[in-house]
Every structure is written in structure tokens, then in C-alpha cells.
Amino acid sequence: MTVHAPYADDLILGIPLQAAPSITIDSGVAATYQAITGDALRLPLSQPDSLAVAGGDRRLANPALVLQIAIGQSTVATARVIANLFYRSVALRRQVRLGDTLSTQVTPTALELTKSEVAPRRAKVLLRIQTTDDRGERVADFERLALLPCRDAETVMEGGQIGAADQNTPLTEYLPFIPEWNFQKFPTENRGAAGVLADPLSDTVSNALELVRLTQNLAAAHRDPARGIGGRRLVYGGHAIGMAQASLARMVPGLMTVLGWRSCSHTAPVFEGDVLDFEHEVTDRHVVGGGVELFGLKVTVRARRHDSHSSRAERTEVLDWRPVALVKTANNIEIGETK
């Protein structure tokens, strides 16, 4: 099926769309992503640490960059997207290294029209995303719910079950995705308290267009102000996620990698120049052994609008992100809750 910038009417449930161009994650792509997000995740930053922990002869790619590219490639279905409603069941089945090439297949699996009382009628479309590398190995898969316009709502065929994002997927479901690494070689470990951790370092959204282009994101709302809100371009939702992971890496010592997301909801739009504030909470844990654990996390991001940078300005929640992280702990000590 070849449709450029499809409407909901053009999508056929169960039929994959023509794939976007494959993307090789080389050092230039990694450096550009790093410059945009400032992610402090250690292994993608350091060749010696990466090789010591993960082995091999190539540095690890940032897991958030891998998913950013998969999402960007998925926009063959959502160039006309009005909003992205949620991501769910995001799984990084294996860790990617620099030099790997990613390809993504996008398949619509469910479609539901919005209520008839609201005009114009739109369609919620559930997409199954599957990303592989150049060896044909599965790298990532997830589901994404997008809101798309209809060319003619009367011709749209509804079908399938959309359901909801599950924020409480058992951590044990992520055990198969833990890589076989030398965990003891990781240079830091988590010894501190949990509870709600507010990052003292806020950060400003910049280079939004560059990230959109880097990941081949085709959504017009991220490129053309006339297709955004109030004549302003929308920042790609993954940009906020990337900055949230950067904050997570600063705030959680021992963070080795992110294995997936239970869910992710964009609760309000983000614009270039917004100042983002980050809060992190460990919601649950699972001891893996060997000095590592899985952490289930709730990450909340709030934005101060571009014209209200004061720390006293009203903040708007823009992201509710529920990642699952692999964390090196001090002999699996009990962290304990703090209020």
C-alpha cells in the first residue's frame, strides 16, 4: 500500500504500510541526538564503559534514540496526525550498537471514530510498530494510538479493539529483555532513597526541528506552524521523552539502560522554548540478582511556557511516562520509601 500522508480512510486494518527508509545509527546520529537531549546515560556516552560492560567492539546506542527512530519511521501512517494519545507495551528486545541499521513495519490494527456530536469527526487509530536491525533481528515493538483526520468519515470502516494503556504491567514481563552484560563493571550503583525525586535542573526545549528531521518524523504538525496549534509548531512528543530520560539518568545513580515503557501519555502539547521540570518516582522493583534490579518508574514532566520562564510561573503537565529501567544497586539493598 503506497499512500503519502494518509487520512484514516486510507488505512486498512491488518495491512502494513510501505516502510520508511532504513536508518543507520552512526556516531554522527548519536552525537546529534546527544546534543539535543543532553542524555547522561553512561554507556552510550563512553566507549570504554560500554565495551567493559556490554562487550563487543562497538559502543552502545542510546535506547531512547533507538525508539525515537522507530517512532519517526512509524510516521508513514501519521503524517497528518492531530495528536498522539498514548504508547503502550514498549519493549526493547535487544540493545543496539552504533553501526546497526533499523527498519520499521507499521500495521494498523484497530480504528474507532470519535463521537458523532463532535465535528469534524476524526479517527483513533491503533498502530502496531515492529523494528528490526540489518540482520533481521527484532529490536523493538510497541503500540501507538494516534488521532487522525478523515477525508470522509462516512466511508471509514471501524474495527478491532483499542483498549487502554496498562501502567501496571508486571516487571517480570521485562526479564527476557535484560542483556547478558558484566554488571559489576558498571561504574556507579544506586544506594539512595526513592520516593518522589525532583530534578533541580530544569531544561529548555531547543532544536525541535533538528530532532524531527534526524528521526525522519513526517508529522506536519512538527514542521509547519500552520499545522500546529495557534500558528505554532508542536514539539515532537519524543523530544520531551528524550529530555525526561536525560533527567532520569542524572537523578538515578546506577541506571544502566531502559528496557521499555509500560505506557507513555502526552497530556498537553510542548512548544519550542518551553522550560521543562522533571519528577521521578520508583513505583515498584524486582530483584534480578547479580547486583541489579528492575525499577518501575513514574516520570512526570511539566512545562513552563516560553513567555513565562519564571520558576513561579504556572506549570502544565505535558508527559506521564512509565519506563522500566535496569539499575545496578548496592548488593540489592532495600532502598525503602520516603515521603
Side-chain angles (χ1 to χ4, degrees), residues 78-81 217-228 233-234:
T78 58
R80 297 184 185 273
V81 70
N217 190 310
L218 301 176
H222 304 322
R223 299 195 183 209
D224 181 356
R227 301 284 291 275
R233 282 184 290 105
L234 294 176

Side-chain angles (χ1 to χ4, degrees), residues 161-302:
Q161 297 292 322
I162 290 177
D166 184 3
Q167 299 176 346
N168 300 301
T169 303
L171 290 177
T172 52
E173 292 194 14
Y174 291 85
L175 291 175
F177 312 139
I178 296 176
E180 295 182 1
W181 289 348
N182 186 342
F183 302 131
Q184 297 308 310
K185 293 287 187 179
F186 193 75
T188 64
E189 61 188 16
N190 195 298
R191 296 176 175 272
V196 177
L197 305 173
D199 189 343
L201 179 61
S202 301
D203 209 349
T204 301
V205 178
S206 64
N207 295 290
L209 275 172
E210 285 71 16
L211 183 59
V212 165
R213 293 167 181 151
L214 183 75
T215 58
Q216 292 295 300
N217 190 310
L218 301 176
H222 304 322
R223 299 195 183 209
D224 181 356
R227 301 284 291 275
I229 295 178
R232 300 175 64 192
R233 282 184 290 105
L234 294 176
V235 168
Y236 161 45
H239 198 135
I241 298 169
M243 293 177 70
Q245 183 177 292
S247 172
L248 186 66
R250 292 192 295 268
M251 296 298 295
V252 179
L255 179 66
M256 302 181 73
T257 193
V258 172
L259 299 177
W261 315 341
R262 286 163 155 164
S263 68
C264 183
S265 298
H266 300 292
T267 52
V270 176
F271 299 100
E272 183 109 22
D274 283 358
V275 179
L276 304 185
D277 301 316
F278 311 93
E279 287 185 353
H280 309 281
E281 180 181 5
V282 179
T283 59
D284 54 334
R285 294 164 48 183
H286 179 84
V287 175
V288 175
V292 298
E293 299 185 33
L294 293 182
F295 280 18
L297 295 131
K298 176 183 178 182
V299 180
T300 304
V301 180
R302 296 179 177 87

Side-chain angles (χ1 to χ4, degrees), residues 49-236:
D49 285 344
S50 182
L51 300 190
V53 174
D57 58 359
R58 292 177 292 146
R59 179 162 48 105
L60 291 167
N62 192 303
L65 172 58
V66 172
L67 290 171
Q68 302 272 9
I69 287 174
I71 294 167
Q73 291 174 325
S74 79
T75 59
V76 293
T78 58
R80 297 184 185 273
V81 70
I82 298 165
N84 196 74
L85 303 179
F86 65 64
Y87 296 93
R88 71 181 178 200
S89 304
V90 179
L92 271 166
R93 295 186 171 274
R94 76 171 197 82
Q95 300 292 305
V96 172
R97 296 177 185 269
L98 298 191
D100 286 354
T101 299
L102 304 184
S103 303
T104 297
Q105 183 182 78
V106 184
T107 307
T109 60
L111 189 151
E112 178 184 304
L113 286 168
T114 57
K115 295 179 180 180
S116 56
E117 310 87 70
V118 180
R121 295 190 75 184
R122 298 161 173 174
K124 293 184 285 186
V125 181
L126 186 66
L127 302 168
R128 183 175 69 243
I129 317 296
Q130 297 176 316
T131 301
T132 56
D133 63 16
D134 42 308
R135 293 175 293 280
E137 296 182 19
R138 183 74 58 80
V139 168
D141 49 39
F142 55 94
E143 290 184 313
R144 175 186 174 199
L145 184 65
L147 184 66
L148 294 180
C150 303
R151 182 184 287 109
D152 181 0
E154 299 301 322
T155 68
V156 173
M157 299 292 293
E158 296 183 281
Q161 297 292 322
I162 290 177
D166 184 3
Q167 299 176 346
N168 300 301
T169 303
L171 290 177
T172 52
E173 292 194 14
Y174 291 85
L175 291 175
F177 312 139
I178 296 176
E180 295 182 1
W181 289 348
N182 186 342
F183 302 131
Q184 297 308 310
K185 293 287 187 179
F186 193 75
T188 64
E189 61 188 16
N190 195 298
R191 296 176 175 272
V196 177
L197 305 173
D199 189 343
L201 179 61
S202 301
D203 209 349
T204 301
V205 178
S206 64
N207 295 290
L209 275 172
E210 285 71 16
L211 183 59
V212 165
R213 293 167 181 151
L214 183 75
T215 58
Q216 292 295 300
N217 190 310
L218 301 176
H222 304 322
R223 299 195 183 209
D224 181 356
R227 301 284 291 275
I229 295 178
R232 300 175 64 192
R233 282 184 290 105
L234 294 176
V235 168
Y236 161 45

